[in-house]
Amino acid sequence: MEILFFVVVLVSAVLTLTRIPGLSHSLNQSIFLSGLCAAVAFGLMLPAVYAFVDGLFLRTNFTDLFAKLALLLAINILVCEIASALRNPRVLRLTAGISGKTILVLTFVLALILFAFTDTPEASPGLGAYIDDPLVLAYNTVIVAYIGYLGALLIGPLLRDARTPPQRLRQVASALLAAGFGLAIVRAVLMVAGLAIDGLYDFGQILSGITALLVIAGLVSAWMALRKYDTSRIRQSALRIG
Amino acid sequence: MSISARSFNEWLATAGLPDGASQLSKLLGMKRTTLHNQRIRGRIAVSTVIAAARAAHLNPLDVLGAFEPYAALGQERKPVTDAELLSQVSYVDALVHLMSRIRSDFALSLGGVPMAPIPFDDSVRNWLDAIDPGGIRQHISEHGGIAPSNLSTQLAENRLDPALAILASRFAGVSSANGLVVAGMVTDQEADWPLYGRENALAELGDVELIDLVSDRLESLRRQTKRKIDAENAAVNFLETLG
């Protein structure tokens, strides 16, 4: 799992770096920010980094709260961008609109309250060592359920887009994003429904890592597609036939 | 509807074509594996039979008519109607003709412009609309065993299964071969369409009828172009936002 998270950090960082050239033209700012937050979130989950950062705080495992905030921000920004890319006003309203922001804030506040009541004396990334504690489980479930909620909003529009020709690489991008968000839903359902299964937490963490890699692969495909399909060429007169 | 491989093999022998997959596929200009798979499955695609007929210098419609599902094609073919000919006039052809009719200098400079080859965008839909005595789509769905949405998909892709094309022709009382022409499976010459039939049908149109035809074609062009531009804008937005 540690290796998987390390790979996620690495590819998130590389993806983020590819977006730097566009920043000066006000392009890709949100994707850059999302990638940065994702790299920070998964980076903080690496045991060595986690232990170091957690040593800076008085409250043990305070780092996990930062990691989860970074993760929520990363995914919220990304989902807003995807909704905007797909021109889906419903998803935009439920993520970037007032209702969407309210849900995000409520999720984090709820996670904060649950975290405040947990008793975790030893540093443990994701509070994995205390997952049998109902409060810790509820704290993790809130975050995972929110990500599942975002996945549920996006999966339909993404699957529709993945079936829309003609740019094949763009379809691949949508399909990979749909697969990633589909896994996020599976993870949320497993977490909510399979509360008592041993080893489910570790399996869920692996699913999170794969989800992140699929979403990043989708964004890489979109990045490649933009370069492959010159948008100025796409924009030439639709009437031209020869 | 495909043709049984056994009947096809028997016909190959009578037509003097090679039986071996390699030689035959080379002659038909198709992949050896495609031909091999069709034979293994025991069902030969209509397009393969047409290619084989052409390779044997035979009329594809006569050859298809020798096989059971397409017997209607071998029977006496009715002449193509003016409505069908006009349905195979593209918007460019109609506009060129209108401009030529308006000004003689346009007629001079546009006189050499050849008509769009069949099939062109929407040639199948135009044909189906032209021969429709009322309820043709419903008839095809009910008797051809195809859901209306799948029929719409075929029309949007400018194709129509040969069996459905024959069904539509029978319902409308036109020649069974014409559906195969407008879908691009056989040529208008192979279906005995008159030389310059489309040009003559256009020339015989009155001014108002010609304007109506141009208007219909432009309306259809507008619909298609709008759909295309919307899809392109969506693609550009997707790529520029996430790429």
Side-chain angles (χ1 to χ4, degrees), chain A residues 2-80:
Chain A
E2 202 179 318
I3 296 170
L4 181 65
F5 277 23
F6 182 72
V7 172
V8 173
V9 173
L10 204 65
V11 289
S12 300
V14 171
L15 173 76
T16 308
L17 291 176
T18 63
R19 307 296 168 131
I20 288 178
L23 292 178
S24 54
H25 325 299
S26 300
L27 279 173
N28 292 151
Q29 286 169 338
S30 300
I31 299 287
F32 173 80
L33 198 59
S34 174
L36 195 65
C37 287
V40 168
F42 280 92
L44 284 175
M45 297 302 279
L46 296 172
V49 180
Y50 190 90
F52 171 75
V53 177
D54 211 46
L56 304 174
F57 298 116
L58 289 176
R59 170 77 150 89
T60 337
N61 289 318
F62 207 57
T63 311
D64 190 65
L65 204 59
F66 276 103
K68 286 199 168 37
L69 176 63
L71 186 65
L72 287 183
L73 285 177
I75 197 155
N76 188 272
I77 294 167
L78 179 63
V79 168
C80 293

Side-chain angles (χ1 to χ4, degrees), chain A residues 19 28 31 81 84-87 161 167 170 174 222-223 225-226 231 234-235 238-239, chain B residues 91-92 121 221 225 228-243:
Chain A
R19 307 296 168 131
N28 292 151
I31 299 287
E81 282 302 290
S84 161
L86 294 172
R87 291 183 170 160
D161 192 68
Q167 291 102 0
R170 184 179 60 83
S174 287
W223 185 82
L226 180 66
T231 50
I234 293 175
R235 277 187 173 133
L239 289 171
Chain B
Y91 73 89
V92 176
D121 273 355
L221 175 67
T225 307
K228 199 170 162 191
I229 287 173
D230 286 349
E232 284 174 1
N233 285 343
V236 169
N237 182 58
F238 183 97
L239 294 177
E240 289 185 348
T241 309
L242 294 182

Side-chain angles (χ1 to χ4, degrees), chain B residues 92-120:
Chain B
V92 176
D93 300 332
L95 280 170
V96 164
H97 195 84
L98 180 69
M99 299 300 284
S100 302
R101 203 176 278 197
I102 291 169
R103 273 173 52 173
S104 56
D105 55 334
F106 286 167
L108 269 177
S109 43
L110 295 172
V113 177
M115 290 193 80
I118 304 169
F120 52 84

Side-chain angles (χ1 to χ4, degrees), chain B residues 78-80 84-85 87-88 118 127 175 177-179 181-182 187-198:
Chain B
K78 295 173 192 164
V80 62
E84 286 177 287
L85 288 168
S87 77
Q88 298 310 298
I118 304 169
W127 174 73
S175 177
N178 294 348
V181 175
V182 302
T187 64
D188 48 352
Q189 292 100 320
E190 286 167 339
D192 296 333
W193 282 22
L195 204 61
Y196 300 114
R198 292 187 293 163

Side-chain angles (χ1 to χ4, degrees), chain B residues 202-217:
Chain B
L202 259 182
E204 282 164 19
L205 275 184
D207 290 344
V208 175
E209 285 79 15
L210 178 61
I211 292 168
D212 286 345
L213 179 73
V214 170
S215 171
D216 279 355
R217 292 289 184 272

Side-chain angles (χ1 to χ4, degrees), chain B residues 58-227:
Chain B
L58 296 170
N59 185 314
L61 292 166
D62 294 336
V63 172
L64 271 176
F67 297 101
E68 179 47 37
Y70 298 103
L73 293 172
Q75 291 157 11
E76 192 187 352
R77 285 194 277 276
K78 295 173 192 164
V80 62
T81 63
D82 278 353
E84 286 177 287
L85 288 168
L86 288 171
S87 77
Q88 298 310 298
V89 172
S90 73
Y91 73 89
V92 176
D93 300 332
L95 280 170
V96 164
H97 195 84
L98 180 69
M99 299 300 284
S100 302
R101 203 176 278 197
I102 291 169
R103 273 173 52 173
S104 56
D105 55 334
F106 286 167
L108 269 177
S109 43
L110 295 172
V113 177
M115 290 193 80
I118 304 169
F120 52 84
D121 273 355
D122 264 353
S123 59
V124 178
R125 195 195 302 274
N126 289 347
W127 174 73
L128 205 61
D129 289 341
I131 64 167
D132 187 4
I136 199 165
R137 284 176 170 77
Q138 196 182 352
H139 179 84
I140 296 172
S141 290
E142 283 173 6
H143 295 83
I146 182 169
S149 58
N150 290 344
L151 178 61
S152 295
T153 306
Q154 285 200 18
L155 296 180
E157 291 168 359
N158 203 38
R159 62 187 180 87
L160 190 61
D161 286 347
L164 300 178
I166 292 172
L167 188 67
S169 311
R170 278 184 173 168
F171 180 71
V174 297
S175 177
S176 300
N178 294 348
L180 275 65
V181 175
V182 302
M185 301 197 77
V186 298
T187 64
D188 48 352
Q189 292 100 320
E190 286 167 339
D192 296 333
W193 282 22
L195 204 61
Y196 300 114
R198 292 187 293 163
E199 287 85 344
N200 292 338
L202 259 182
E204 282 164 19
L205 275 184
D207 290 344
V208 175
E209 285 79 15
L210 178 61
I211 292 168
D212 286 345
L213 179 73
V214 170
S215 171
D216 279 355
R217 292 289 184 272
L218 288 181
E219 180 56 38
S220 164
L221 175 67
R222 186 192 181 280
R223 232 182 359 255
Q224 276 183 26
T225 307
K226 169 114 178 40
R227 199 163 42 230

Side-chain angles (χ1 to χ4, degrees), chain A residues 38-156:
Chain A
V40 168
F42 280 92
L44 284 175
M45 297 302 279
L46 296 172
V49 180
Y50 190 90
F52 171 75
V53 177
D54 211 46
L56 304 174
F57 298 116
L58 289 176
R59 170 77 150 89
T60 337
N61 289 318
F62 207 57
T63 311
D64 190 65
L65 204 59
F66 276 103
K68 286 199 168 37
L69 176 63
L71 186 65
L72 287 183
L73 285 177
I75 197 155
N76 188 272
I77 294 167
L78 179 63
V79 168
C80 293
E81 282 302 290
I82 295 174
S84 161
L86 294 172
R87 291 183 170 160
N88 192 310
R90 180 175 158 270
V91 181
L92 261 180
R93 196 176 59 248
L94 292 171
T95 52
I98 291 178
S99 48
K101 295 292 180 218
T102 309
I103 295 169
L104 173 67
V105 170
L106 284 179
T107 303
F108 189 68
V109 168
L110 184 59
L112 195 67
I113 293 169
L114 287 166
F115 178 81
F117 285 102
T118 56
D119 180 22
T120 54
E122 296 295 324
S124 169
L127 309 191
Y130 304 96
I131 200 67
D132 292 333
D133 178 346
L135 272 175
V136 171
L137 185 65
Y139 162 70
N140 275 308
T141 305
V142 166
I143 303 295
V144 171
Y146 176 73
I147 297 171
Y149 156 76
L150 294 180
L153 285 178
L154 270 186
I155 192 149

